[in-house]
Amino acid sequence: MMALPELKIGRIETFLVPPRWLFVRVETVDGAHGWGEASLEGHAEAVNGAFEAIRDRFLGHDARRIEDIWQIAYRGGFYRGGAVLMSALSGLDQALWDLKGKALGVPAWELMGGRVRDRIRAYAWIGGDKPHEIDSAAAARKAQGFSAVKMNATAELDWIGTPRLFDEVIRRVEAAQAQGMDVGLDFHGRVHRPMAKQLAKVLEPLGLLFIEEPLLSENPEGLAEIAGLVSTPIALGERLYSRWDFKQFFERGAVDIIQPDLSHAGGISECRRIAAMAEAYDVAVAPHCPLGPLALAACLQLAANAPNVAIQEMSLGIHYNVGHDLLEFITDPEVLTPVDGFLPIPQKPGLGVTIDEDKVRAVAKEGHRWRNPIWRHADGSFAEW
């Protein structure tokens, strides 16, 4: 392989792309470029603002030095971590892997040691924020070739209640399973500890793929308790942003499947390290990705290279994609189209997808102001969404 000439960063651009995404474009002074995704749902403007410091740090920097840039971006500002700063770093990191792969004419996974698989099982969402019409939605996903789906377990739940509140949850799971689907159930951090233990126990006989965020990750001791109560695999991680955030969950034995988001948790570089940590604890990886095409393409680079990646979330047809869907801003949609329930590992250089730059620039002129809904309980108090 020929030596790669220095690639000095000349421009870093960001684009608010509807329905709720933030794309990043890094260009060198010689015109080479790469794309990444720094989407942080509901907080795109804050992440966009974080790029002011990134530009000050890295314009003129050698884009080949991805790890050096990562370390400076993470450690060099004194304050570190958190959703906003790590999402900005994630988009930058993805774009640098895309740029370097394109410059060398190889996929990013080739630069990380090559492939361990040819395709990865995918799952799609059904049911929306407040799950409904599960049987028909599961049938539609089956017709698309999926064999696995995920849905929200419940709408808002109060702090206490009785097990009869779970009857509907069980019926929805059984409806999806009746269509031949494996089901992952997302508690979405909506269920508080007094009821989460009951719901996890009631669901155990159904044979779920996993229960996701049975409690918020800010409650690691409660998650460890639930993990000890049931045999159903516990999944979490979309609200964790670095290997240091994940460390205590590995040490407590509180998680069986981690779900780092490659647009929140430091990009490809950091999520590869998180996956390696997880492998040491015999924990599977199922990256979180209800986002756009660049985020998914980055996830597939990790799936290509990390042996413990078990399944990949994708946002095709998800209820959040109002007005624009997953494949709309790429010119090669076949790269991210599932076949028989699996996503192929991209073969093109960099992240392996081609962005329709004219379309991105056009829609970004209007941008978006996506916000998640605010829910309340029957008594008027705030309810977790």
Side-chain angles (χ1 to χ4, degrees):
M1 188 178 292
M2 295 177 59
L4 185 63
E6 186 177 48
L7 296 169
K8 283 191 177 181
I9 297 173
R11 183 162 58 157
I12 300 172
E13 297 178 278
T14 54
F15 304 90
L16 289 164
V17 177
R20 57 179 192 160
W21 307 327
L22 181 67
F23 289 1
V24 181
R25 186 180 184 275
V26 176
E27 183 178 330
T28 70
V29 294
D30 297 321
H33 72 273
W35 288 88
E37 185 169 339
S39 301
L40 181 64
E41 308 94 288
H43 300 283
E45 299 89 347
V47 179
N48 205 29
F51 272 91
E52 290 302 308
I54 285 174
R55 291 184 183 94
D56 289 345
R57 295 281 187 196
F58 299 117
L59 291 179
H61 204 94
D62 188 350
R64 298 175 304 174
R65 299 180 63 180
I66 297 174
E67 186 61 26
D68 185 57
I69 290 172
W70 197 98
Q71 293 293 333
I72 292 170
Y74 181 78
R75 301 176 192 273
F78 186 75
Y79 298 101
R80 57 189 67 174
V84 171
L85 296 179
M86 293 303 286
S87 294
L89 174 51
S90 297
L92 175 66
D93 182 81
Q94 291 176 22
L96 293 172
W97 281 105
D98 189 42
L99 193 160
K100 191 168 187 176
K102 287 174 179 174
L104 290 169
V106 297
W109 52 256
E110 194 75 79
L111 301 176
M112 295 189 289
R115 281 182 298 148
V116 298
R117 59 174 55 86
D118 303 318
R119 57 183 190 158
I120 185 69
R121 191 183 186 194
Y123 71 82
W125 267 87
I126 59 173
D129 269 346
K130 299 189 177 186
H132 65 287
E133 298 178 357
I134 294 303
D135 52 351
S136 59
R141 292 303 194 184
K142 183 178 181 179
Q144 290 178 307
F146 290 100
S147 61
V149 293
K150 185 169 80 175
M151 59 183 167
N152 283 312
T154 71
E156 64 274 25
L157 272 184
D158 217 327
W159 283 75
I160 61 172
T162 62
R164 69 173 179 273
L165 295 171
F166 307 144
D167 291 346
E168 266 190 55
V169 184
I170 293 167
R171 284 196 293 270
R172 286 193 292 266
V173 171
E174 290 175 340
Q177 290 175 333
Q179 296 292 337
M181 290 288 153
D182 288 336
V183 178
L185 208 57
D186 190 356
F187 286 35
H188 217 250
R190 294 173 181 169
V191 188
H192 292 284
R193 184 170 175 170
M195 295 193 75
K197 295 191 295 182
Q198 295 180 71
L199 181 53
K201 199 72 176 174
V202 165
L203 292 170
E204 186 172 16
L206 297 180
L208 295 169
L209 277 176
F210 54 80
I211 54 174
E212 179 176 337
E213 281 196 324
L215 293 175
L216 291 171
S217 50
E218 61 203 38
N219 190 353
E221 64 281 356
L223 284 158
E225 181 186 4
I226 290 176
L229 286 174
V230 297
S231 60
T232 309
I234 305 296
L236 60 87
E238 69 194 73
R239 292 187 250 203
L240 303 175
Y241 309 113
S242 71
R243 74 199 96 150
W244 296 281
D245 288 349
F246 278 93
K247 182 168 64 170
Q248 67 170 316
F249 294 95
F250 296 143
E251 292 172 345
R252 290 174 182 264
V255 63
D256 304 293
I257 302 165
I258 58 163
Q259 299 170 304
D261 189 308
L262 273 76
S263 288
H264 303 340
I268 292 171
S269 296
E270 181 69 351
C271 287
R272 183 63 186 91
R273 292 187 280 261
I274 292 167
M277 283 178 70
E279 186 184 1
Y281 287 88
D282 207 23
V283 168
V285 182
H288 180 257
C289 193
L291 301 176
L294 290 158
L296 181 58
C299 288
L300 295 178
Q301 304 304 313
L302 183 66
N305 181 253
N308 52 333
V309 172
I311 196 167
Q312 178 59 56
E313 178 178 24
M314 65 182 303
S315 72
L316 186 66
I318 200 171
H319 50 290
Y320 304 124
N321 289 354
V322 178
H324 301 274
D325 207 354
L326 174 67
L327 305 177
E328 192 168 330
F329 294 102
I330 55 176
T331 62
D332 43 9
E334 69 282 355
V335 177
L336 300 182
T337 298
V339 178
D340 298 328
F342 286 78
L343 283 164
I345 298 302
Q347 301 298 309
K348 295 180 181 179
L351 297 186
V353 296
T354 306
I355 290 293
D356 186 336
E357 186 171 330
D358 290 340
K359 189 166 189 175
V360 167
R361 291 186 181 277
V363 299
K365 290 177 182 177
E366 187 168 331
H368 66 80
R369 295 181 68 86
W370 189 87
R371 301 290 185 263
N372 61 269
I374 298 298
W375 288 357
R376 293 189 181 275
H377 294 299
D379 65 0
S381 62
F382 175 81
E384 293 283 355
W385 171 73

